[in-house]
Structures are given as C-alpha cells and as structure tokens.
Amino acid sequence: MSVSRVEVIGIKLPLISPGDDLAKLIVEYAERSGVGIREGDVVVVTEKVVSKSLGLMVDADSVEPSSYALRLSRAVGLDPRFVELVVRECDGVLAVVPIRDLVRDGVVDLESLAYDREAARKLLEEYPCFFIVEKEGMLWSDSGIDASNAPPGKYVIPPKNHDDIAREMHERIRELTGRYVAVVICDTEFFLDGSIDFARGSWGIDPADRLFGAPDLYGKPKYGGVDIVVHEVCSAAALLMRQTKEGVPVAIVRGLSYRRVDRGLRQSLPKIDLEKAVAKTLKATLKIRGFKWLIRALLRTLTD
C-alpha cells in the first residue's frame, strides 16, 4: 500500500526590522533548526513579516484623514486615521459589516470564541465594524490594515504586488541554496465565525488544480477539481503560525507534489468581475425568492 505524506514545519525568526534580507534569514534559521531547505519545498511566509522587512509600518499620528475618510469614520464609528488607510490602500469599498451590532443583537455568537469576553467587548467598541474591499482583484477586510503584533500606535500596511515579492524571494532562496522552492505569501482573513489564512501572492507553484470537469471515480464529470492549492497550503501552515504570540512567521511545506510554473497567483487564476458577479447573483436570487422576500428582509433588518 502506497503512503502519501506532507510535512509542515514551522520556522521561528528574530524580530524583523526594515531592510532585513528576509530570504536570507529564512535560509539561515531553517539551517539552524536542522530542517534546512530542500529541493521542491514550499516556503510559506506571513504577509505581516514581509511588510515589516519592507518598512511598511506607519505611525497613526502621521496619518492625515481626507474629508471622505472623516465622513466615513463618523458614519461607522472608527478612528478616521484607520479609515483613511483603508480607503487609501484599496481599489474600492464594497460593503461595511457592523460586527459589534451583530454580536450585541445575538446575530453572531462571537463571544463564545473569546479568550476574555470583556477584552473582546472592548475590542468591538474600538472596531465596531469592518470594511469589505476589493484590492488586487481579491476581497479583503479593511484592506489588510492591521495593528496586531505591531508596536503601539503603529499600523502595518500590506505590500503591493505580492507576486513580485514572492518571485524575488523564490529567486533569492535559489541563489543562496541552489534549490528550487515555491514561495507563497499568506494573510489571515476574518469571517463572522472565525478566521482562515489565504494566499495573497505566490511564485513557482501553480496556484490551482486545473481539473474542472475531470472524471470522478465513476467516470462522471466532476463539478469541483479546482482546488486553490496555495490557499490550502496557507491553511496548513496556519496550524503552526497561529495568530497571537507564537512568533512563527514562516512554515516549510515539504513533500507536496505541485506543478512548477514561472508565474504568480494573479496571473494564474481566472479573472472575476466582483461587482457583476454580485449583481448577477442577486438577480438570480430575486428570481427565485421574489421582491417580497427582499422587502421583508430589508424591513426586518431596519426594524431590529
């Protein structure tokens, strides 16, 4: 009987400062830990540590909110400096999720997941909502702007052109080791029932299985077969990286069979017009449920 096995190995790094050669540190600390870098490894790196190495942190006090950000901040109850960074770093705001009100009204039972319920309530008062935005052709919450695991009074800004950064790291690691590795940059996204890690950029690995309609065990064309491999790799790495004070910003996924490609995530996935997709989905839903359902839903929301 053949056995398939994939390993996920966490690599701890020192605190990263602007200008650090992140690829070199990954190679060095992988060697120190006795793991090393092997041919065909997939190196998964958190977006935040990439941002820190690029110096992409800003002091909140240095942010000058625009009139648009000021209007938005008054409407949603967020710090206008934070709102300014969100709108500045995205291609468009698609929605606002009133997470504090959803929790308060019992629509979302987020408190059952809280480490400390009182601390969680204070956090919701500071961040009563979050924005869903479009950026680099993907959906993001709050444009990826984050203050967690950053010094007080500072925000971490996501880098631009994630695929280019992944390519540079891929090439640098090959230069240092002589080995081919794929690089995936991962980011954590929050949903109403928890968080999960996604790929924001990659290089050296085909991001998706291209098996839509391939035959299943019984020869029938399968509706699936398009696993987004780089997202799955990030979710596996997140089991070791976690989200608080573990201090594991890099994971090596070893033993994964993947197709090597000289392109990134954005070049490899099908293009999606998010606004049209939402509009057509709403139209199809209304066709089935009818306008009465929409009116009832709106009235129920407005009167709650």
Side-chain angles (χ1 to χ4, degrees), residues 166-221:
R167 175 180 53 78
E168 290 167 3
M169 293 185 66
H170 159 85
E171 292 173 351
R172 178 67 170 139
I173 292 174
R174 194 168 194 178
E175 174 190 330
L176 292 167
T177 65
R179 299 181 179 93
Y180 185 103
V181 301
V183 175
V184 181
I185 299 174
C186 68
D187 176 40
T188 303
E189 273 298 344
F190 179 78
F191 295 93
L192 295 180
D193 56 354
S195 58
I196 191 168
D197 276 45
F198 284 88
R200 291 303 188 190
S202 66
W203 199 269
I205 178 174
D206 194 341
D209 286 334
R210 301 175 188 277
L211 299 173
F212 182 76
D216 66 8
L217 290 172
Y218 298 94
K220 305 187 307 296

Side-chain angles (χ1 to χ4, degrees), residues 29 62 76 82 86 99 177 187 201 270 298:
Y29 278 80
S62 70
V76 299
F82 176 75
V86 170
I99 185 65
T177 65
D187 176 40
L298 288 172

